[in-house]
Amino acid sequence: MKLTTTKRLERLTERYMNGGLDRRAFLGLAAAAGATAGLSMRWMSQALAAVTEVRFDGWGGVVQEAIDKYAFQPYTAKTGNKVTQGTFGDESEIITKVKTATPGEYQIIHSSGVEYYKRYVDGGYNSEINEANIPNMKFVMQAMIDPFLKITPKLSGVPYDYGTTGIAYNTTVISEAEAKEKGAALLFDPKYQGKIGGYGDMTTRVWYAALATGQNPNDIKDIDAVWAKVRENRDLVKKYWSSGAELMDLLAKGEIVVTDAWSGRVAALQQQGSPIGYLDPAGSYAWMEDMLILKGSPMAECEELVNFMLDPATAIAVAEGQNYPPSLDPMKVKLTEKIAKMPAFDPTGTMKSLTFADPNYWASNLDAWTKQWDRISKGG
Amino acid sequence: MSASMLSAADRRRPWLLLAPSLITLFVLMIVPIGIMTIFSFYEFVTAGVEKEVFTTANWHEFLTDSFYHMFLWKTIRVAGITAILCALMGYPAAYCIAMTNYKHKWLLLLLLIVPFWISFTIRTFSWIHILGEQGVINVLLLKLGLVNEPIRMLYTEGSVIMGMIHFLLPYMILNVYVAIEGIDRNLISAARTLGCTAWQAFREVVLPLSLPGLMAGLLLCFVLAAGSYVTPQILGSTRDALFGNIIFDTIMDELNWPMGSTLSLVLLIFLGAVAAVYSRYMGLSRVLKGLSG
């Protein structure tokens, strides 16, 4: 997206009027802007016009379709600026791409929360956003912002939505009563051997194994017991899925009858008429997603897009489309009934009812546990 | 003097003609392998972060960790089975195409190439609708009352091998076809004239002369199967992973590029060695020697 010269000068004036800029600096910058405008040549305007699109990478499927339909398309219609989109099935995949790309090639990532936020920071890919350019941040729950601030005092992204990874089950095979009674133990029930699925991701596997061994996933005392439980689950599982689309396909086709699943994807299946139930057992894995702006991105343009996405009207429409509650604080913004009925929705705006992964605890074990999970998943 | 200048130009010409290929090979193969080699001696710090210090830790881990050896062996076994099955299925098909009197032989060859018009990933995914619990085979068996519950065919080693055969069979058939097509038909006629039965003529003339194509097909199928990771990812369970999947996970999941580079080089060295052994012992020279004898 290209900011017009007028808009830049308006911002400059605003900063000066607000006292954020002294008179000397203001006059200097205004003169420089005038000189640039006066001396600009044809190729300069073409070069500037090149920043008329922003790159976005997300999770694809129904989630990205909702973002595209309710955020990007209206944004393009309003501003004329395009949003180029890419998708990934696993966030490590996009981190690998970012690592190999030149700074600025990838710009905004629909990142899956605090644990991954730390990975970007460790890799040196984080930027520093100017919150003044994202006035709609005032609507975002502080409880969602704080975990990110613990990692970087200056944010590189803005929390956008949240959800849970609960238990999805085929209601033609497993009754609601059985699901409620067994909860997460369904994933370890030999009765459903060969009909169980699961997300092929270390965090989810360790989280549910910790719950199954009666441990706090954010303070595991006996990791060997957890790995034993992970192996137990592995031997019962038919397929570890690797994307939301694959999860929906496996459940819809009846290849699996129970799996841990992303709440929004299950809601989408239910809306399509599939006989799928969903429950969040005690300690269910909750996560929050953010719109992460990477280092080297055109910051002003990215901030403007993120601000547009956080506009309550846009964020609510996206939330309803993707079936994940928005990061908007229900105490500040009136959310719709549909959102209030979504799994994981927290009406208090404090997020105290949800159990998130402790980013520092999980980050300190990430490498060793990921390696161990990769081995166990392959029969090790 | 003019002659010597022409001679110099003549000497340069092959290099000029080869230059695009050599530059492409250098940039797209030699340089990346060089970078991987350097990375394999870097130290892994944390996911996505490595330190540029010289260490042999990654190579030491590969050499001492039986997990990697097990998967290398498994990859050899699965790739070997796939290549042999491709040969068993592909040879008769190639023989029939080469020997047929059907005037539109081109049509048969076209049918061989048709699968390449569809994306490899889509072709692989199509097996889910054939082998799955709600797939064509299971639905048919259930409707015919031959089974009471769906048979598990998908997400097994068998489905991985089947997927790879689906992908590799045309390579085998084309290689063998070219070899059989190149055989002088007079040799077969001569064998029959000298009293050979049709089977003897095939065994004594066609089979030995088509061996270079068969061996080339076996090598190609083996190398491509051993380097495969998409097919096991889609059609196999995590237990059906091959060495390529280990590399993929190390790089993409663990974000451990130094170890991923080491494992990539191991596979490259192994497959290079297989190709070298083929060239030395199973190549054309052996067949030609047999002919001359």
Side-chain angles (χ1 to χ4, degrees), chain B residues 11 41 72 95 108 130 142-143 145 147-148 174 180 217 246 252 258 271 281:
Chain B
R11 279 199 301 272
F41 291 104
L72 193 55
Y95 184 84
L108 300 174
I130 297 168
L142 285 167
K143 282 198 172 171
V147 293
N148 294 322
L174 286 172
I180 296 176
I246 305 283
M252 301 294 280
L271 294 179
Y281 295 106

Side-chain angles (χ1 to χ4, degrees), chain B residues 76-134:
Chain B
I76 295 168
R77 181 174 59 76
V78 170
I81 292 170
T82 305
I84 290 167
L85 288 174
C86 280
L88 291 174
M89 286 185 226
Y91 197 98
Y95 184 84
C96 289
I97 296 172
M99 293 298 184
T100 185
N101 291 322
Y102 180 51
K103 62 178 178 180
H104 299 300
K105 194 186 276 187
W106 63 271
L107 195 62
L108 300 174
L109 288 169
L110 185 72
L111 287 174
L112 262 184
I113 301 165
V114 164
F116 291 107
W117 296 354
I118 305 164
S119 152
F120 163 67
T121 312
I122 292 171
R123 275 187 287 148
T124 307
F125 266 112
S126 69
W127 283 104
I128 294 174
H129 299 277
I130 297 168
L131 301 175
E133 301 217 345
Q134 305 292 322

Side-chain angles (χ1 to χ4, degrees), chain B residues 255-271:
Chain B
L255 297 176
N256 185 345
W257 283 28
M259 194 64 211
S261 300
T262 308
L263 297 177
S264 303
L265 286 172
V266 165
L267 190 62
L268 181 75
I269 292 165
F270 168 72
L271 294 179

Side-chain angles (χ1 to χ4, degrees), chain A residues 293-314:
Chain A
I293 304 176
L294 298 176
K295 187 158 81 179
S297 304
M299 294 305 289
E301 288 78 5
C302 290
E303 286 160 357
E304 185 132 331
L305 173 60
V306 170
N307 188 54
F308 183 88
M309 293 175 78
L310 278 176
D311 182 89
T314 309

